[in-house]
Amino acid sequence: VTSAPAPSAPAEAEATTAPDLRIGELARLAGTTTRTLRYWEEIGLLAPSAHLGNGERLYPPAALERVTHIRELQDLVGFSLAEIRAVLDTEEIFDQLRTLKRLAGPTAKRRLLLEEAVAANDRLIQRLDDRLERLSSFRDERVAKAARLRAKLDELGPPQEPKSGS
Amino acid sequence: VTSAPAPSAPAEAEATTAPDLRIGELARLAGTTTRTLRYWEEIGLLAPSAHLGNGERLYPPAALERVTHIRELQDLVGFSLAEIRAVLDTEEIFDQLRTLKRLAGPTAKRRLLLEEAVAANDRLIQRLDDRLERLSSFRDERVAKAARLRAKLDELGPPQEPKSGS
DNA sequence: TTGCTCCTCACGTCACGTGAGGTGGC
DNA sequence: TTGCTCCTCACGTCACGTGAGGTGGC
């Protein structure tokens, strides 16, 4: 586990020496559990790059982004894993476009894919805005309640026994 | 079901004529299901004001606020029902205070209750702020992605066949 | 040999969904 | 009688949690 040469290196352009992750490492880095990662594999949401002979799973470093992304969609947005799979599918459009480009695919098809992705992304933004507004107004209620509670406290007068001033 | 005299009346100070709700009405008003309300009763989260002879449940109009509140804590904040129960317990402080006042309870005890409620409320606000920040930055990412996608679209040039102008 | 991580069943849990079968008032 | 809502089991589902029992390299 100490075979990483330089942990502070910018891991972006050089993918040749990027170390694959064991399931435990990936889970720890992403703040989740190995059980969750195996379950996601079971339902076809996150595939390891390789299954070794002894059954051990290996994940590419990019899997970390995917895992955190899934968690965001789950916890912050409230999507089910089925919905998340649909989102991720349309998000793989860049890969699809690259493949199309390599295959000299028709422009019309590429445009269609892009427009789909734009629409899906806009729907997601819409949902995020909705959530943000509801969360924000809920927060405002809570702040108002805090003020009311503190007013009630003042109403009771200063504390009887000053144990330690502050 | 049409026995409500004035549906646009301010239902706040006058609780004498406020009609009790059947489980189906409460569910519909709150945007949830009867199954959910029965489950919440089962785990002691939401009790009807009365069980009629035939087993039918009746809820006070105030139950609607409680239900929507529980839903907010569940969907927006991400609390489990166990956590929500704890939050609701400390939120019943006003009722407790009123009872204490009626019983001429000691000021020290009332102060303790209030301070507890203030602390719990502040923790909740903290959590809301955390969520708001994460959601907001996630939204920013999405907006940036939207810009990139539209740039890609422009890169493809204008549509081949103008079907209908906007 | 001991520790550590990995593996596959497989049952448990949380928060409900979803019929199955029956009751009660217009 | 037909519709509508209500009721209680009770099994199913989703997204995992949690051992049970076993393997593989330092």
Side-chain angles (χ1 to χ4, degrees), chain A residues 69 72 75-77 91 94 110-111 118 121-122 124-125 128-129 131-132 134-135 138-139 142 146 149-150 153 157-159, chain B residues 69 72 75-77 91 94 111 114 118 121-122 124-125 128-129 131-132 134-135 138-139 142 146 149-150 153 156-159:
Chain A
H69 190 198
E72 283 175 333
D75 299 344
L76 265 57
V77 191
E91 281 188 355
F94 280 121
R110 284 164 58 187
R111 170 177 297 281
V118 165
N121 195 58
D122 285 355
L124 181 51
I125 291 177
L128 290 174
D129 284 344
R131 285 226 151 204
L132 272 169
R134 296 205 298 147
L135 239 187
F138 185 49
R139 190 206 111 103
R142 287 290 131 179
L149 284 175
R150 292 188 204 282
L153 252 183
Chain B
H69 190 198
E72 283 174 334
D75 299 344
L76 267 57
V77 192
E91 281 188 357
F94 280 121
R111 169 177 298 280
L114 262 176
V118 165
N121 195 58
D122 285 355
L124 181 51
I125 291 177
L128 291 174
D129 285 343
R131 285 226 150 204
L132 272 169
R134 296 204 299 147
L135 238 189
F138 185 50
R139 189 205 111 102
R142 288 288 131 181
L149 283 175
R150 292 190 204 280
L153 253 184
L156 281 185

Short mmCIF file of all heavy atoms in Angstrom, two decimals, chain A residues 69 72 75-77 91 94 110-111 118 121-122 124-125 128-129 131-132 134-135 138-139 142 146 149-150 153 157-159, chain B residues 69 72 75-77 91 94 111 114 118 121-122 124-125 128-129 131-132 134-135 138-139 142 146 149-150 153 156-159:
data_model
loop_
_atom_site.label_atom_id
_atom_site.label_comp_id
_atom_site.label_asym_id
_atom_site.label_seq_id
_atom_site.Cartn_x
_atom_site.Cartn_y
_atom_site.Cartn_z
N HIS A 69 -19.56 10.96 -7.23
CA HIS A 69 -20.65 11.52 -8.02
C HIS A 69 -21.97 10.80 -7.71
O HIS A 69 -23.00 11.43 -7.51
CB HIS A 69 -20.32 11.40 -9.50
CG HIS A 69 -21.26 12.15 -10.38
ND1 HIS A 69 -21.39 11.92 -11.72
CD2 HIS A 69 -22.14 13.13 -10.09
CE1 HIS A 69 -22.30 12.73 -12.22
NE2 HIS A 69 -22.77 13.47 -11.26
N GLU A 72 -23.28 11.94 -4.40
CA GLU A 72 -23.90 13.27 -4.49
C GLU A 72 -25.32 13.17 -5.01
O GLU A 72 -26.25 13.75 -4.44
CB GLU A 72 -23.08 14.18 -5.41
CG GLU A 72 -21.80 14.73 -4.79
CD GLU A 72 -20.98 15.51 -5.81
OE1 GLU A 72 -21.09 15.22 -7.02
OE2 GLU A 72 -20.22 16.37 -5.41
N ASP A 75 -27.44 11.36 -2.08
CA ASP A 75 -27.67 12.06 -0.83
C ASP A 75 -28.20 13.48 -1.04
O ASP A 75 -29.13 13.91 -0.38
CB ASP A 75 -26.37 12.13 -0.02
CG ASP A 75 -25.85 10.76 0.32
OD1 ASP A 75 -26.64 9.79 0.21
OD2 ASP A 75 -24.68 10.64 0.70
N LEU A 76 -27.56 14.21 -1.95
CA LEU A 76 -27.92 15.61 -2.12
C LEU A 76 -29.17 15.78 -2.98
O LEU A 76 -30.02 16.62 -2.70
CB LEU A 76 -26.76 16.38 -2.75
CG LEU A 76 -25.81 17.09 -1.79
CD1 LEU A 76 -25.22 16.11 -0.81
CD2 LEU A 76 -24.73 17.83 -2.54
N VAL A 77 -29.27 15.00 -4.04
CA VAL A 77 -30.38 15.19 -4.98
C VAL A 77 -31.55 14.27 -4.65
O VAL A 77 -32.69 14.56 -4.97
CB VAL A 77 -29.90 14.96 -6.43
CG1 VAL A 77 -30.96 15.41 -7.41
CG2 VAL A 77 -28.60 15.70 -6.68
N GLU A 91 -24.61 10.85 -19.17
CA GLU A 91 -23.39 11.62 -18.93
C GLU A 91 -22.18 11.00 -19.63
O GLU A 91 -21.16 11.66 -19.77
CB GLU A 91 -23.14 11.72 -17.44
CG GLU A 91 -24.01 12.78 -16.79
CD GLU A 91 -23.62 13.03 -15.35
OE1 GLU A 91 -22.74 12.31 -14.84
OE2 GLU A 91 -24.20 13.93 -14.74
N PHE A 94 -19.80 12.04 -23.53
CA PHE A 94 -18.50 12.48 -24.03
C PHE A 94 -17.71 11.28 -24.56
O PHE A 94 -17.11 11.36 -25.63
CB PHE A 94 -17.71 13.20 -22.93
CG PHE A 94 -18.14 14.63 -22.76
CD1 PHE A 94 -18.62 15.08 -21.55
CD2 PHE A 94 -18.09 15.51 -23.82
CE1 PHE A 94 -19.01 16.39 -21.39
CE2 PHE A 94 -18.48 16.83 -23.66
CZ PHE A 94 -18.94 17.26 -22.45
N ARG A 110 -24.33 12.96 -33.64
CA ARG A 110 -23.59 13.58 -32.54
C ARG A 110 -24.39 14.74 -31.97
O ARG A 110 -24.45 14.96 -30.76
CB ARG A 110 -22.23 14.05 -33.03
CG ARG A 110 -21.24 12.91 -33.21
CD ARG A 110 -20.04 13.32 -34.03
NE ARG A 110 -19.34 14.45 -33.43
CZ ARG A 110 -18.33 15.08 -34.03
NH1 ARG A 110 -17.95 14.71 -35.24
NH2 ARG A 110 -17.74 16.08 -33.43
N ARG A 111 -25.02 15.50 -32.85
CA ARG A 111 -25.84 16.62 -32.39
C ARG A 111 -27.00 16.13 -31.52
O ARG A 111 -27.31 16.69 -30.46
CB ARG A 111 -26.40 17.39 -33.61
CG ARG A 111 -27.46 18.42 -33.25
CD ARG A 111 -27.92 19.20 -34.46
NE ARG A 111 -26.84 19.96 -35.04
CZ ARG A 111 -26.40 21.11 -34.54
NH1 ARG A 111 -26.99 21.64 -33.47
NH2 ARG A 111 -25.41 21.76 -35.10
N VAL A 118 -27.71 17.88 -23.01
CA VAL A 118 -28.01 19.24 -22.57
C VAL A 118 -29.36 19.27 -21.85
O VAL A 118 -29.49 19.84 -20.77
CB VAL A 118 -28.04 20.21 -23.77
CG1 VAL A 118 -28.70 21.52 -23.38
CG2 VAL A 118 -26.62 20.49 -24.26
N ASN A 121 -29.14 17.51 -18.48
CA ASN A 121 -28.39 18.35 -17.54
C ASN A 121 -29.24 19.52 -17.06
O ASN A 121 -29.22 19.89 -15.88
CB ASN A 121 -27.11 18.86 -18.22
CG ASN A 121 -26.13 19.43 -17.23
OD1 ASN A 121 -25.70 18.74 -16.31
ND2 ASN A 121 -25.79 20.70 -17.39
N ASP A 122 -29.99 20.10 -17.97
CA ASP A 122 -30.86 21.23 -17.58
C ASP A 122 -31.95 20.77 -16.61
O ASP A 122 -32.29 21.49 -15.67
CB ASP A 122 -31.50 21.86 -18.84
CG ASP A 122 -30.49 22.71 -19.61
OD1 ASP A 122 -29.36 22.87 -19.10
OD2 ASP A 122 -30.82 23.20 -20.70
N LEU A 124 -31.66 18.40 -14.50
CA LEU A 124 -30.99 18.21 -13.22
C LEU A 124 -30.77 19.54 -12.51
O LEU A 124 -31.02 19.68 -11.31
CB LEU A 124 -29.65 17.51 -13.45
CG LEU A 124 -28.82 17.20 -12.20
CD1 LEU A 124 -29.66 16.50 -11.15
CD2 LEU A 124 -27.60 16.37 -12.55
N ILE A 125 -30.35 20.54 -13.26
CA ILE A 125 -30.14 21.88 -12.69
C ILE A 125 -31.46 22.41 -12.13
O ILE A 125 -31.52 23.00 -11.05
CB ILE A 125 -29.57 22.85 -13.74
CG1 ILE A 125 -28.14 22.46 -14.09
CG2 ILE A 125 -29.62 24.29 -13.24
CD1 ILE A 125 -27.52 23.31 -15.18
N LEU A 128 -32.06 20.81 -8.92
CA LEU A 128 -31.16 21.36 -7.91
C LEU A 128 -31.64 22.72 -7.42
O LEU A 128 -31.62 23.00 -6.21
CB LEU A 128 -29.74 21.48 -8.49
CG LEU A 128 -29.01 20.16 -8.75
CD1 LEU A 128 -27.70 20.41 -9.46
CD2 LEU A 128 -28.79 19.42 -7.45
N ASP A 129 -32.08 23.55 -8.35
CA ASP A 129 -32.60 24.87 -7.96
C ASP A 129 -33.81 24.73 -7.05
O ASP A 129 -33.94 25.44 -6.05
CB ASP A 129 -32.97 25.67 -9.22
CG ASP A 129 -31.73 26.21 -9.92
OD1 ASP A 129 -30.67 26.23 -9.28
OD2 ASP A 129 -31.83 26.59 -11.10
N ARG A 131 -34.53 22.22 -5.07
CA ARG A 131 -34.05 21.77 -3.77
C ARG A 131 -33.40 22.90 -2.99
O ARG A 131 -33.59 23.04 -1.78
CB ARG A 131 -33.01 20.66 -3.96
CG ARG A 131 -33.60 19.35 -4.34
CD ARG A 131 -33.00 18.24 -3.52
NE ARG A 131 -33.95 17.17 -3.37
CZ ARG A 131 -33.93 16.30 -2.37
NH1 ARG A 131 -33.00 16.39 -1.45
NH2 ARG A 131 -34.83 15.37 -2.27
N LEU A 132 -32.58 23.66 -3.69
CA LEU A 132 -31.88 24.77 -3.04
C LEU A 132 -32.87 25.75 -2.43
O LEU A 132 -32.69 26.21 -1.30
CB LEU A 132 -30.98 25.48 -4.05
CG LEU A 132 -29.57 24.92 -4.19
CD1 LEU A 132 -28.85 25.50 -5.40
CD2 LEU A 132 -28.78 25.19 -2.92
N ARG A 134 -36.04 25.17 -1.52
CA ARG A 134 -36.74 24.58 -0.39
C ARG A 134 -35.83 24.50 0.83
O ARG A 134 -36.23 24.80 1.96
CB ARG A 134 -37.25 23.20 -0.76
CG ARG A 134 -38.30 23.24 -1.88
CD ARG A 134 -39.21 22.05 -1.85
NE ARG A 134 -38.53 20.80 -2.06
CZ ARG A 134 -38.87 19.63 -1.50
NH1 ARG A 134 -39.91 19.60 -0.70
NH2 ARG A 134 -38.20 18.53 -1.74
N LEU A 135 -34.59 24.08 0.60
CA LEU A 135 -33.64 23.99 1.70
C LEU A 135 -33.40 25.36 2.32
O LEU A 135 -33.34 25.52 3.54
CB LEU A 135 -32.32 23.41 1.20
CG LEU A 135 -31.82 22.13 1.83
CD1 LEU A 135 -30.43 21.79 1.34
CD2 LEU A 135 -31.83 22.23 3.33
N PHE A 138 -36.29 26.52 4.35
CA PHE A 138 -36.33 25.72 5.58
C PHE A 138 -35.29 26.25 6.57
O PHE A 138 -35.55 26.36 7.77
CB PHE A 138 -36.06 24.26 5.25
CG PHE A 138 -36.20 23.32 6.42
CD1 PHE A 138 -37.32 23.37 7.23
CD2 PHE A 138 -35.21 22.39 6.71
CE1 PHE A 138 -37.46 22.50 8.31
CE2 PHE A 138 -35.34 21.54 7.79
CZ PHE A 138 -36.45 21.59 8.59
N ARG A 139 -34.12 26.59 6.03
CA ARG A 139 -33.09 27.16 6.88
C ARG A 139 -33.56 28.47 7.50
O ARG A 139 -33.34 28.75 8.69
CB ARG A 139 -31.83 27.42 6.07
CG ARG A 139 -30.62 27.80 6.93
CD ARG A 139 -29.64 28.63 6.14
NE ARG A 139 -29.60 29.99 6.60
CZ ARG A 139 -28.64 30.51 7.38
NH1 ARG A 139 -27.62 29.77 7.72
NH2 ARG A 139 -28.69 31.76 7.77
N ARG A 142 -35.67 27.97 10.40
CA ARG A 142 -34.89 27.55 11.56
C ARG A 142 -34.17 28.71 12.22
O ARG A 142 -34.04 28.79 13.44
CB ARG A 142 -33.86 26.50 11.12
CG ARG A 142 -34.48 25.16 10.83
CD ARG A 142 -34.96 24.54 12.09
NE ARG A 142 -36.32 24.04 11.97
CZ ARG A 142 -36.96 23.43 12.96
NH1 ARG A 142 -36.36 23.23 14.12
NH2 ARG A 142 -38.19 23.05 12.80
N ALA A 146 -34.59 30.07 15.94
CA ALA A 146 -33.46 30.30 16.84
C ALA A 146 -33.61 31.64 17.56
O ALA A 146 -33.39 31.73 18.77
CB ALA A 146 -32.15 30.26 16.06
N LEU A 149 -36.30 31.41 20.18
CA LEU A 149 -35.84 30.66 21.35
C LEU A 149 -34.94 31.52 22.24
O LEU A 149 -35.06 31.52 23.46
CB LEU A 149 -35.09 29.39 20.91
CG LEU A 149 -35.97 28.24 20.42
CD1 LEU A 149 -35.10 27.09 19.90
CD2 LEU A 149 -36.85 27.73 21.56
N ARG A 150 -34.04 32.25 21.61
CA ARG A 150 -33.12 33.08 22.39
C ARG A 150 -33.86 34.22 23.07
O ARG A 150 -33.51 34.64 24.19
CB ARG A 150 -32.01 33.64 21.49
CG ARG A 150 -31.07 32.55 20.99
CD ARG A 150 -29.85 33.11 20.27
NE ARG A 150 -29.29 32.14 19.32
CZ ARG A 150 -28.52 31.12 19.69
NH1 ARG A 150 -28.23 30.93 20.96
NH2 ARG A 150 -28.06 30.29 18.78
N LEU A 153 -35.28 32.89 26.08
CA LEU A 153 -34.23 32.71 27.09
C LEU A 153 -33.98 34.03 27.82
O LEU A 153 -33.88 34.07 29.06
CB LEU A 153 -32.95 32.23 26.43
CG LEU A 153 -32.55 30.77 26.68
CD1 LEU A 153 -31.22 30.46 26.03
CD2 LEU A 153 -32.51 30.47 28.16
N GLY A 157 -34.60 36.10 32.07
CA GLY A 157 -33.63 36.83 32.86
C GLY A 157 -32.28 36.15 32.80
O GLY A 157 -32.14 35.06 32.26
N PRO A 158 -31.27 36.83 33.36
CA PRO A 158 -29.92 36.26 33.35
C PRO A 158 -29.85 35.01 34.22
O PRO A 158 -30.69 34.83 35.11
CB PRO A 158 -29.06 37.41 33.93
CG PRO A 158 -30.01 38.20 34.76
CD PRO A 158 -31.36 38.08 34.09
N PRO A 159 -28.87 34.17 33.97
CA PRO A 159 -28.73 32.93 34.76
C PRO A 159 -28.61 33.22 36.24
O PRO A 159 -28.04 34.25 36.64
CB PRO A 159 -27.43 32.31 34.24
CG PRO A 159 -27.16 32.98 32.94
CD PRO A 159 -27.88 34.29 32.92
N HIS B 69 -43.46 18.62 8.11
CA HIS B 69 -42.19 18.85 8.79
C HIS B 69 -41.32 17.60 8.77
O HIS B 69 -40.12 17.64 8.50
CB HIS B 69 -42.47 19.29 10.23
CG HIS B 69 -41.24 19.77 10.94
ND1 HIS B 69 -41.16 19.87 12.30
CD2 HIS B 69 -40.04 20.15 10.47
CE1 HIS B 69 -39.96 20.30 12.63
NE2 HIS B 69 -39.27 20.49 11.54
N GLU B 72 -39.85 17.16 5.38
CA GLU B 72 -38.71 18.05 5.14
C GLU B 72 -37.44 17.48 5.77
O GLU B 72 -36.39 17.43 5.13
CB GLU B 72 -39.00 19.43 5.75
CG GLU B 72 -39.95 20.29 4.94
CD GLU B 72 -40.30 21.58 5.68
OE1 GLU B 72 -40.24 21.61 6.93
OE2 GLU B 72 -40.65 22.55 5.01
N ASP B 75 -36.49 14.26 3.56
CA ASP B 75 -36.04 14.44 2.18
C ASP B 75 -34.95 15.49 2.06
O ASP B 75 -33.96 15.29 1.36
CB ASP B 75 -37.23 14.83 1.29
CG ASP B 75 -38.30 13.77 1.29
OD1 ASP B 75 -38.00 12.64 1.71
OD2 ASP B 75 -39.43 14.08 0.88
N LEU B 76 -35.17 16.63 2.70
CA LEU B 76 -34.22 17.74 2.51
C LEU B 76 -32.97 17.58 3.37
O LEU B 76 -31.86 17.86 2.93
CB LEU B 76 -34.89 19.08 2.84
CG LEU B 76 -35.52 19.83 1.67
CD1 LEU B 76 -36.54 18.98 0.96
CD2 LEU B 76 -36.12 21.13 2.13
N VAL B 77 -33.15 17.14 4.60
CA VAL B 77 -32.02 17.07 5.52
C VAL B 77 -31.38 15.69 5.52
O VAL B 77 -30.21 15.54 5.83
CB VAL B 77 -32.46 17.45 6.95
CG1 VAL B 77 -31.26 17.65 7.84
CG2 VAL B 77 -33.31 18.70 6.93
N GLU B 91 -38.25 19.54 19.96
CA GLU B 91 -39.04 20.65 19.45
C GLU B 91 -40.35 20.82 20.19
O GLU B 91 -41.00 21.86 20.08
CB GLU B 91 -39.31 20.46 17.96
CG GLU B 91 -38.12 20.84 17.12
CD GLU B 91 -38.44 20.84 15.65
OE1 GLU B 91 -39.57 20.49 15.29
OE2 GLU B 91 -37.54 21.18 14.87
N PHE B 94 -41.82 23.80 23.52
CA PHE B 94 -42.78 24.86 23.81
C PHE B 94 -43.98 24.29 24.58
O PHE B 94 -44.44 24.90 25.55
CB PHE B 94 -43.25 25.54 22.52
CG PHE B 94 -42.26 26.54 22.01
CD1 PHE B 94 -41.70 26.41 20.75
CD2 PHE B 94 -41.87 27.60 22.79
CE1 PHE B 94 -40.77 27.33 20.29
CE2 PHE B 94 -40.94 28.54 22.35
CZ PHE B 94 -40.40 28.39 21.09
N ARG B 111 -35.11 27.02 31.97
CA ARG B 111 -33.91 27.50 31.29
C ARG B 111 -33.14 26.35 30.65
O ARG B 111 -32.69 26.42 29.51
CB ARG B 111 -33.02 28.24 32.28
CG ARG B 111 -31.62 28.56 31.73
CD ARG B 111 -30.80 29.37 32.73
NE ARG B 111 -31.43 30.64 33.00
CZ ARG B 111 -31.35 31.70 32.19
NH1 ARG B 111 -30.69 31.60 31.05
NH2 ARG B 111 -31.94 32.81 32.51
N LEU B 114 -34.84 25.15 27.51
CA LEU B 114 -34.66 26.11 26.43
C LEU B 114 -33.26 26.05 25.84
O LEU B 114 -33.08 26.06 24.62
CB LEU B 114 -34.94 27.53 26.95
CG LEU B 114 -36.33 28.08 26.67
CD1 LEU B 114 -36.50 29.45 27.33
CD2 LEU B 114 -36.55 28.20 25.17
N VAL B 118 -32.22 25.33 22.03
CA VAL B 118 -31.38 26.25 21.26
C VAL B 118 -30.20 25.50 20.66
O VAL B 118 -29.89 25.65 19.46
CB VAL B 118 -30.87 27.40 22.17
CG1 VAL B 118 -29.72 28.13 21.49
CG2 VAL B 118 -32.00 28.36 22.49
N ASN B 121 -31.35 23.20 17.84
CA ASN B 121 -31.72 23.98 16.67
C ASN B 121 -30.48 24.52 15.95
O ASN B 121 -30.42 24.52 14.72
CB ASN B 121 -32.62 25.15 17.11
CG ASN B 121 -33.33 25.79 15.95
OD1 ASN B 121 -34.06 25.12 15.23
ND2 ASN B 121 -33.08 27.08 15.74
N ASP B 122 -29.50 24.93 16.73
CA ASP B 122 -28.26 25.43 16.12
C ASP B 122 -27.53 24.31 15.38
O ASP B 122 -26.99 24.53 14.29
CB ASP B 122 -27.36 26.03 17.20
CG ASP B 122 -27.85 27.39 17.65
OD1 ASP B 122 -28.83 27.88 17.05
OD2 ASP B 122 -27.28 27.95 18.60
N LEU B 124 -28.93 21.82 13.94
CA LEU B 124 -29.70 21.60 12.72
C LEU B 124 -29.36 22.65 11.67
O LEU B 124 -29.14 22.35 10.50
CB LEU B 124 -31.20 21.63 13.03
CG LEU B 124 -32.15 21.39 11.86
CD1 LEU B 124 -31.75 20.14 11.09
CD2 LEU B 124 -33.58 21.27 12.36
N ILE B 125 -29.29 23.91 12.09
CA ILE B 125 -28.92 25.00 11.17
C ILE B 125 -27.54 24.74 10.58
O ILE B 125 -27.31 24.93 9.38
CB ILE B 125 -28.96 26.36 11.90
CG1 ILE B 125 -30.41 26.73 12.24
CG2 ILE B 125 -28.34 27.46 11.04
CD1 ILE B 125 -30.55 28.02 13.02
N LEU B 128 -27.88 22.25 7.95
CA LEU B 128 -28.53 22.84 6.78
C LEU B 128 -27.53 23.67 5.98
O LEU B 128 -27.49 23.60 4.74
CB LEU B 128 -29.72 23.70 7.22
CG LEU B 128 -30.91 22.94 7.78
CD1 LEU B 128 -31.95 23.91 8.32
CD2 LEU B 128 -31.52 22.04 6.72
N ASP B 129 -26.72 24.45 6.68
CA ASP B 129 -25.71 25.27 5.99
C ASP B 129 -24.74 24.39 5.22
O ASP B 129 -24.38 24.67 4.08
CB ASP B 129 -24.96 26.14 7.00
CG ASP B 129 -25.80 27.31 7.47
OD1 ASP B 129 -26.79 27.61 6.79
OD2 ASP B 129 -25.47 27.90 8.51
N ARG B 131 -25.28 21.41 4.03
CA ARG B 131 -25.99 20.87 2.86
C ARG B 131 -26.14 21.92 1.77
O ARG B 131 -25.98 21.63 0.59
CB ARG B 131 -27.39 20.40 3.27
CG ARG B 131 -27.39 19.12 4.03
CD ARG B 131 -28.48 18.18 3.50
NE ARG B 131 -28.06 16.81 3.69
CZ ARG B 131 -28.51 15.80 2.97
NH1 ARG B 131 -29.39 16.03 2.03
NH2 ARG B 131 -28.09 14.58 3.18
N LEU B 132 -26.51 23.11 2.20
CA LEU B 132 -26.71 24.19 1.23
C LEU B 132 -25.42 24.45 0.45
O LEU B 132 -25.45 24.62 -0.78
CB LEU B 132 -27.15 25.46 1.96
CG LEU B 132 -28.65 25.61 2.16
CD1 LEU B 132 -28.96 26.75 3.11
CD2 LEU B 132 -29.33 25.85 0.82
N ARG B 134 -22.88 22.35 -0.09
CA ARG B 134 -22.58 21.23 -0.99
C ARG B 134 -23.50 21.24 -2.19
O ARG B 134 -23.06 21.03 -3.33
CB ARG B 134 -22.69 19.91 -0.23
CG ARG B 134 -21.65 19.80 0.89
CD ARG B 134 -21.34 18.36 1.24
NE ARG B 134 -22.49 17.61 1.73
CZ ARG B 134 -22.69 16.32 1.51
NH1 ARG B 134 -21.82 15.64 0.81
NH2 ARG B 134 -23.75 15.71 1.98
N LEU B 135 -24.78 21.45 -1.93
CA LEU B 135 -25.75 21.49 -3.03
C LEU B 135 -25.42 22.62 -4.00
O LEU B 135 -25.47 22.46 -5.22
CB LEU B 135 -27.16 21.69 -2.47
CG LEU B 135 -28.19 20.62 -2.78
CD1 LEU B 135 -29.57 21.06 -2.34
CD2 LEU B 135 -28.20 20.30 -4.26
N PHE B 138 -22.43 21.85 -6.07
CA PHE B 138 -22.81 20.82 -7.05
C PHE B 138 -23.58 21.46 -8.20
O PHE B 138 -23.37 21.14 -9.38
CB PHE B 138 -23.66 19.76 -6.36
CG PHE B 138 -24.01 18.59 -7.23
CD1 PHE B 138 -23.02 17.91 -7.94
CD2 PHE B 138 -25.31 18.14 -7.34
CE1 PHE B 138 -23.33 16.83 -8.74
CE2 PHE B 138 -25.63 17.06 -8.14
CZ PHE B 138 -24.64 16.40 -8.84
N ARG B 139 -24.43 22.41 -7.86
CA ARG B 139 -25.17 23.13 -8.90
C ARG B 139 -24.23 23.90 -9.80
O ARG B 139 -24.38 23.92 -11.03
CB ARG B 139 -26.17 24.10 -8.25
CG ARG B 139 -27.13 24.72 -9.26
CD ARG B 139 -27.65 26.06 -8.76
NE ARG B 139 -27.12 27.14 -9.57
CZ ARG B 139 -27.81 27.78 -10.52
NH1 ARG B 139 -29.06 27.45 -10.74
NH2 ARG B 139 -27.27 28.72 -11.24
N ARG B 142 -22.74 21.78 -12.32
CA ARG B 142 -23.70 21.44 -13.38
C ARG B 142 -23.88 22.58 -14.36
O ARG B 142 -24.04 22.37 -15.56
CB ARG B 142 -25.05 21.08 -12.75
CG ARG B 142 -25.04 19.75 -12.06
CD ARG B 142 -24.99 18.66 -13.06
NE ARG B 142 -23.96 17.68 -12.74
CZ ARG B 142 -23.71 16.62 -13.49
NH1 ARG B 142 -24.40 16.41 -14.58
NH2 ARG B 142 -22.75 15.80 -13.16
N ALA B 146 -23.15 22.57 -18.28
CA ALA B 146 -24.13 23.01 -19.28
C ALA B 146 -23.46 23.92 -20.30
O ALA B 146 -23.67 23.80 -21.51
CB ALA B 146 -25.29 23.74 -18.60
N LEU B 149 -21.30 21.89 -22.61
CA LEU B 149 -22.10 21.12 -23.57
C LEU B 149 -22.60 22.03 -24.70
O LEU B 149 -22.55 21.66 -25.88
CB LEU B 149 -23.29 20.47 -22.85
CG LEU B 149 -22.97 19.23 -22.03
CD1 LEU B 149 -24.21 18.75 -21.28
CD2 LEU B 149 -22.44 18.12 -22.92
N ARG B 150 -23.06 23.22 -24.34
CA ARG B 150 -23.58 24.13 -25.36
C ARG B 150 -22.45 24.62 -26.27
O ARG B 150 -22.65 24.84 -27.47
CB ARG B 150 -24.28 25.32 -24.70
CG ARG B 150 -25.57 24.90 -23.99
CD ARG B 150 -26.39 26.10 -23.54
NE ARG B 150 -27.26 25.75 -22.42
CZ ARG B 150 -28.42 25.11 -22.54
NH1 ARG B 150 -28.84 24.73 -23.72
NH2 ARG B 150 -29.15 24.82 -21.47
N LEU B 153 -21.96 22.04 -28.72
CA LEU B 153 -23.04 22.08 -29.72
C LEU B 153 -22.75 23.16 -30.78
O LEU B 153 -22.89 22.91 -31.99
CB LEU B 153 -24.38 22.39 -29.03
CG LEU B 153 -25.36 21.23 -28.92
CD1 LEU B 153 -26.66 21.69 -28.30
CD2 LEU B 153 -25.62 20.60 -30.28
N LEU B 156 -20.34 22.26 -33.39
CA LEU B 156 -20.85 21.42 -34.50
C LEU B 156 -21.44 22.27 -35.62
O LEU B 156 -21.78 21.75 -36.67
CB LEU B 156 -21.92 20.45 -33.98
CG LEU B 156 -21.42 19.21 -33.26
CD1 LEU B 156 -22.57 18.30 -32.92
CD2 LEU B 156 -20.38 18.48 -34.10
N GLY B 157 -21.56 23.54 -35.35
CA GLY B 157 -22.16 24.41 -36.36
C GLY B 157 -23.66 24.42 -36.22
O GLY B 157 -24.23 23.68 -35.40
N PRO B 158 -24.33 25.29 -36.97
CA PRO B 158 -25.79 25.40 -36.91
C PRO B 158 -26.44 24.13 -37.43
O PRO B 158 -25.82 23.37 -38.17
CB PRO B 158 -26.10 26.59 -37.81
CG PRO B 158 -24.94 26.66 -38.75
CD PRO B 158 -23.75 26.17 -37.99
N PRO B 159 -27.67 23.89 -37.02
CA PRO B 159 -28.39 22.68 -37.46
C PRO B 159 -28.47 22.62 -38.98
O PRO B 159 -28.57 23.64 -39.66
CB PRO B 159 -29.79 22.86 -36.86
CG PRO B 159 -29.64 23.89 -35.81
CD PRO B 159 -28.45 24.70 -36.12
#
